[in-house]
Amino acid sequence: GENVEQHPSTLSVQEGDSAVIKCTYSDSASNYFPWYKQELGKRPQLIIDIRSNVGEKKDQRIAVTLNKTAKHFSLHITETQPEDSAVYFCAASGGAGGTSYGKLTFGQGTILTVHP
Amino acid sequence: NAGVTQTPKFRVLKTGQSMTLLCAQDMNHEYMYWYRQDPGMGLRLIHYSVGEGTTAKGEVPDGYNVSRLKKQNFLLGLESAAPSQTSVYFCASRPLPNSGPQETQYFGPGTRLLVL
């Protein structure tokens, strides 16, 4: 089955700096890569996602890049703010078709702390 | 729309007791999932369902059973709880493929379970 590795496990930055979180996946059939943000005691919430036919996607201060050949994808947050502090999870899926049924395999999570 | 809801929010069980966690969604989603979240391990898929009356095993199904008698509800049962099942349980749902731009999983608020 799919295996997703996420690094680093913790990341501490100063407000205004950039933050980068990296994930690798093992199944070359995976074609959907969402990123979730989870605040303490809350549910995971989708912040951005990318499909395998796209190399990069950006939404304001957040961007995701995908390298299918190397089987890795990264989350980039620019101009970080204290409210960006949370746990971030990457995930991979073979899509909702075939036998994948949209199942997600998650990375272990990154605790991001943004210091004012 | 309430989205995805879960009951109860928190529960304490003694080893050997049984309980059922309820997940309900009002978005008419076909696919539903149960995950458990443990520190440092991300979210792991327990069971999932691709439609009313169907269920399938995920990555960590042992000790759990599920049922999907109605499309909007997905129940997770623990027949004989063990301390190793102490965790936060999240339910999620998603629409069928090619049904819209947001083809990702929507999570419930979680259930915290402590097994003594």
Side-chain angles (χ1 to χ4, degrees):
Chain A
E2 175 67 277
N3 183 50
V4 177
E5 297 287 334
Q6 182 173 346
H7 298 281
S9 56
T10 61
L11 181 58
S12 183
V13 300
Q14 290 295 127
E15 183 176 0
D17 288 349
S18 295
V20 180
I21 303 171
K22 299 181 179 181
C23 289
T24 60
Y25 61 100
S26 62
D27 189 349
S28 56
S30 290
N31 59 12
Y32 176 66
F33 307 92
W35 285 88
Y36 287 86
K37 175 183 180 182
Q38 186 179 30
E39 296 176 345
L40 189 62
K42 304 288 188 179
R43 74 190 78 188
Q45 295 205 305
L46 179 74
I47 55 172
I48 195 167
D49 57 10
I50 191 167
R51 299 189 182 277
S52 58
N53 58 348
V54 176
E56 183 174 357
K57 184 177 179 181
K58 190 173 182 180
D59 182 4
Q60 298 183 345
R61 297 186 296 109
I62 295 173
V64 58
T65 58
L66 171 65
N67 184 326
K68 286 174 56 180
T69 303
K71 289 191 280 189
H72 67 71
F73 55 112
S74 301
L75 177 71
H76 304 255
I77 306 175
T78 59
E79 301 172 20
T80 53
Q81 302 166 1
E83 50 265 40
D84 294 329
S85 296
V87 181
Y88 291 80
F89 292 97
C90 64
S93 171
T99 59
S100 296
Y101 299 115
K103 290 179 290 181
L104 293 173
T105 300
F106 285 85
Q108 297 85 347
T110 296
I111 302 172
L112 173 64
T113 304
V114 181
H115 299 282
Chain B
N1 282 357
V4 182
T5 58
Q6 292 182 234
T7 53
K9 289 184 173 58
F10 176 69
R11 183 77 181 268
V12 179
L13 287 180
K14 294 181 179 178
T15 296
Q17 288 184 320
S18 63
M19 79 163 294
T20 300
L21 285 69
L22 171 64
C23 175
Q25 53 94 5
D26 61 3
M27 296 176 283
N28 201 35
H29 288 169
E30 288 293 331
Y31 298 167
M32 297 186 74
Y33 312 85
W34 274 108
Y35 294 91
R36 60 178 289 172
Q37 183 175 31
D38 302 293
M41 300 186 75
L43 289 91
R44 293 181 292 167
L45 183 64
I46 305 172
H47 285 280
Y48 65 101
S49 169
V50 300
E52 182 178 315
T54 75
T55 62
K57 294 180 180 180
E59 180 186 354
V60 288
D62 293 343
Y64 306 95
N65 56 76
V66 288
S67 64
R68 184 116 180 255
L69 299 179
K70 293 183 179 181
K71 184 178 181 178
Q72 63 268 32
N73 295 337
F74 194 26
L75 278 64
L76 178 70
L78 286 74
E79 289 189 350
S80 180
S84 61
Q85 294 178 304
T86 293
S87 189
V88 179
Y89 292 86
F90 286 99
C91 174
S93 70
R94 64 150 285 156
L96 285 171
N98 305 315
S99 56
Q102 284 293 352
E103 288 188 23
T104 191
Q105 294 185 18
Y106 296 83
F107 283 84
T111 295
R112 294 183 178 276
L113 177 64
L114 175 62
V115 183
L116 302 175

